[in-house]
Amino acid sequence: MEANLLKTIFNAFDHKSNFVSHSELNSGHINDTFLINTDFGNRYVLQRINHHVFIDVEGLINNKVLISNHIKSKFPNFSEQELSSKILLFVKAQNTKFYYHKENENYWNLMVFIDDSITYEVVEDEEIAYEGGKLLGTFLNLTSDFDSSQLIDVIPDFHDMSFRYKQYVSSLTNASKERLKKTTKYISVVDELKVEMHILQELKEAGKIPIRVTHNDTKISNALFDQYKKGICMIDTDTVMPGIIHYDFGDAIRTICNTTAEDEKDLSKVEFNLNYYKAFKKGFIEKMKYSLSPIELEYLPLAAKTMIFIMALRFLTDYLNNDVYYKTRYPDHNLDRAKNQFKLIESLSEKLVF
């Protein structure tokens, strides 16, 4: 993107500094994100929100700001400089809103860049897994007293098992004979697991698991660390919305504990890393021990299995629907992804007691 355009957009925000240069941050698959350098040495993260994916962008940004302000309120004695080094902070636009938007154009928001911070695309050791668990636990603990009904559903039914299962059932009626034949084994696996995989959904609907603020995109690359592998904060809060903690815990485990990429074809390489699971869970519970209800704690292992299953089901559904949702690089890419996740479930089930 041209520097002059970014400069114009950046200057629409109330940051009291001058644009010097920019670089693109490859931090996501949906939005465009840029690091902005200024004359005072302050740096900012300028983000374009994809309004084709997120229908209510204003609601999404409001969610992020509400949660940021709530976390900020927990540290009343911190200076602005201290806050900006530990918390995701948003900058108002000149019109006093927390976004810049022109009719029929993109939405943009601006955040203070946290200096001396790093992210990891994959977990390299148990220390990172442990710190990642502490970060997620801290985020959920700090927001545990926030009224989640103030937040919009950014992506309705995102982790809803009943919704995902209905999509899957519909795909069976639309699939070609060839694709049905290739997925026979996994259709049987879904049938075997479907009752167990609806347990969390049923507990949620029965009101037995509390609805909380949840992050909903808890891969390790959305956890920010310092240079010494110590956690700073959770980032990329675009999908913050009401949910149950099992969504966040389970999806973090899904991405942290797989020994391979999620499209690895050699299933002999796909294993559930039990040591990373234990390290992440330890850190998570350390920060959540006063916020977790007994039933939430009891179902953490099932959360891991359930979130892996949801992704396996989504990949399988998309394959049966002729690959209409996920980008693919070859004809059976989604099938390979589904196989990978089902193998991860198998490995997890061998190593965890439910």
Side-chain angles (χ1 to χ4, degrees):
M1 186 167 287
E2 291 184 6
N4 286 338
L5 177 57
L6 284 178
K7 181 178 180 180
T8 298
I9 296 167
F10 178 68
N11 287 339
F13 290 88
D14 188 18
H15 42 70
K16 297 180 176 62
S17 55
N18 295 309
F19 181 102
V20 173
S21 63
H22 78 280
S23 58
E24 187 167 3
L25 297 173
N26 296 317
S27 56
H29 301 296
I30 296 175
N31 300 322
D32 295 324
T33 311
F34 301 91
L35 178 63
I36 307 297
N37 300 306
T38 71
D39 54 352
F40 288 112
N42 300 326
R43 295 196 286 177
Y44 297 87
V45 176
L46 183 62
Q47 181 185 45
R48 181 188 69 83
I49 306 294
N50 190 329
H51 58 281
H52 300 294
V53 173
F54 300 112
I55 305 304
D56 185 357
V57 179
E58 293 179 23
L60 178 156
I61 294 172
N62 187 57
N63 279 5
K64 296 200 292 185
V65 173
L66 284 174
I67 294 305
S68 174
N69 288 341
H70 183 76
I71 293 175
K72 182 179 177 180
S73 72
K74 299 298 180 75
F75 304 95
N77 297 321
F78 277 29
S79 67
E80 198 67 22
Q81 184 175 358
E82 288 176 309
L83 288 170
S84 66
S85 67
K86 299 179 184 297
I87 299 171
L88 200 59
L89 298 178
F90 294 86
V91 180
K92 282 186 177 181
Q94 299 288 356
N95 61 6
T96 74
K97 295 180 180 180
F98 281 94
Y99 61 87
Y100 168 76
H101 174 244
K102 292 181 69 174
E103 189 175 356
N104 298 322
E105 293 187 11
N106 296 304
Y107 285 82
W108 296 81
N109 65 190
L110 187 70
M111 295 157 279
V112 178
F113 179 77
I114 299 177
D115 285 316
D116 301 318
S117 61
I118 58 175
T119 58
Y120 296 94
E121 289 300 317
V122 295
V123 172
E124 298 175 352
D125 53 44
E126 291 175 34
E127 183 182 0
I128 295 173
Y130 170 69
E131 287 291 324
K134 286 170 62 178
L135 277 181
L136 178 58
T138 297
F139 174 83
L140 293 172
N141 188 47
L142 288 172
T143 58
S144 63
D145 60 343
F146 184 88
D147 179 8
S148 63
S149 67
Q150 295 184 48
L151 305 177
I152 68 158
D153 277 323
V154 177
I155 308 176
D157 301 318
F158 189 44
H159 294 315
D160 188 291
M161 181 61 76
S162 298
F163 174 72
R164 296 302 181 188
Y165 188 74
K166 287 177 183 176
Q167 287 184 315
Y168 161 73
V169 171
S170 177
S171 74
L172 292 174
T173 63
N174 299 325
S176 66
K177 290 181 180 180
E178 179 186 0
R179 294 204 171 197
L180 281 172
K181 184 177 180 180
K182 286 186 177 182
T183 56
T184 300
K185 174 183 176 180
Y186 300 100
I187 290 171
S188 297
V189 173
V190 171
D191 193 51
E192 291 169 8
L193 292 175
K194 67 179 179 181
V195 173
E196 182 186 17
M197 295 295 94
H198 277 82
I199 289 175
L200 287 175
Q201 182 72 32
E202 291 166 356
L203 289 170
K204 176 190 172 188
E205 292 174 356
K208 295 181 179 180
I209 298 177
I211 304 299
R212 300 171 174 262
V213 173
T214 46
H215 185 284
N216 295 293
D217 190 9
T218 52
K219 57 182 178 284
I220 197 64
S221 59
N222 283 336
L224 203 61
F225 295 81
D226 67 16
Q227 305 297 320
Y228 306 100
K229 296 185 179 180
K230 300 302 180 184
I232 299 175
C233 67
M234 296 296 295
I235 58 173
D236 196 359
T237 51
D238 291 346
T239 51
V240 162
M241 54 186 164
I244 59 176
I245 63 160
H246 302 85
Y247 296 160
D248 280 357
F249 180 84
D251 203 36
I253 293 300
R254 183 187 77 82
T255 55
I256 287 169
C257 295
N258 194 341
T259 55
T260 69
E262 67 182 11
D263 57 358
E264 171 60 56
K265 294 181 183 181
D266 184 353
L267 298 184
S268 67
K269 296 179 180 178
V270 180
E271 290 288 334
F272 182 80
N273 191 316
L274 187 59
N275 290 334
Y276 286 0
Y277 172 82
K278 290 178 177 178
F280 185 90
K281 184 180 178 183
K282 179 183 178 182
F284 180 80
I285 291 177
E286 279 183 18
K287 296 300 182 180
M288 285 291 290
K289 57 187 174 183
Y290 299 117
S291 299
L292 281 174
S293 67
I295 195 169
E296 286 177 313
L297 180 60
E298 176 186 353
Y299 283 98
L300 286 181
L302 183 60
K305 187 174 182 178
T306 300
M307 292 307 296
I308 298 170
F309 178 84
I310 281 182
M311 283 311 304
L313 195 65
R314 291 179 66 186
F315 288 140
L316 183 61
T317 298
D318 201 33
Y319 178 74
L320 292 170
N321 282 332
N322 291 316
D323 311 313
V324 295
Y325 186 80
Y326 293 107
K327 292 181 180 178
T328 57
R329 296 194 302 273
Y330 54 90
D332 284 352
H333 196 175
N334 273 323
L335 179 58
D336 287 336
R337 287 165 170 157
K339 288 178 178 180
N340 181 296
Q341 297 295 289
F342 282 120
K343 174 62 190 303
L344 190 61
I345 291 173
E346 182 182 324
S347 178
L348 175 152
S349 299
E350 293 170 351
K351 297 178 180 182
L352 283 183
V353 177
F354 292 90

